[in-house]
Amino acid sequence: QVQLVESGGGKVQAGGSLRLSCVASGSILSIEDMAWHRQAPGKQRELVAGITSSGSTNYADSVKGRFTISRDNAKNTVYLQMNSLKPEDTADYYCTADLRLTYYTGIHDYWGPGIQVTVSS
């Protein structure tokens, strides 16, 4: 069974840092793009940062210069280093990955269950 599992969330004061991790496990042939999304209470889900299999990255304007996405392909893991956190970063954070499971199947989008990040002022 293929699954993504996030870790590293929690509560932190404004100005602090957290590092989120997400591991993809199961029978996976290859992992293409990976990303982090978030959804704050009462707001739409938004893309926070993405990274391709070759390491190209993109970020939401609201997190540029504060967050860094990276990945370890050998460990099927994507990270989100979050620095200078603000109360408006409070949200549930979701890991996503485009996975190819076999040579005969296409690439499909998988999501983790989400993890909570709370930033207090």
Side-chain angles (χ1 to χ4, degrees):
Q1 181 179 358
V2 174
Q3 60 178 353
L4 303 180
V5 178
E6 302 99 340
S7 62
K11 297 180 179 180
V12 65
Q13 289 191 327
S17 299
L18 283 174
R19 188 192 195 206
L20 303 183
S21 300
C22 173
V23 180
S25 62
S27 181
I28 300 169
L29 180 63
S30 65
I31 302 177
E32 307 300 326
D33 296 350
M34 304 183 83
W36 290 94
H37 292 73
R38 69 184 179 186
Q39 186 166 22
K43 295 188 177 181
Q44 288 189 329
R45 191 172 294 181
E46 63 173 348
L47 174 66
V48 176
I51 184 167
T52 67
S53 57
S54 59
S56 296
T57 60
N58 63 284
Y59 297 92
D61 288 342
S62 59
V63 306
K64 281 181 181 176
R66 300 188 298 121
F67 290 12
T68 302
I69 189 171
S70 61
R71 63 191 285 172
D72 185 333
N73 292 329
K75 296 181 179 180
N76 287 353
T77 301
V78 62
Y79 306 97
L80 186 67
Q81 178 66 45
M82 305 186 293
N83 299 329
S84 303
L85 282 161
K86 304 175 181 181
E88 51 263 44
D89 294 317
T90 295
D92 290 327
Y93 284 71
Y94 298 87
C95 165
T96 67
D98 294 335
L99 306 180
R100 183 186 296 274
L101 303 187
T102 73
Y103 285 108
Y104 308 104
T105 57
I107 297 171
H108 298 283
D109 190 27
Y110 286 78
W111 287 69
I115 193 165
Q116 191 170 51
V117 170
T118 302
V119 184
S120 59
S121 56

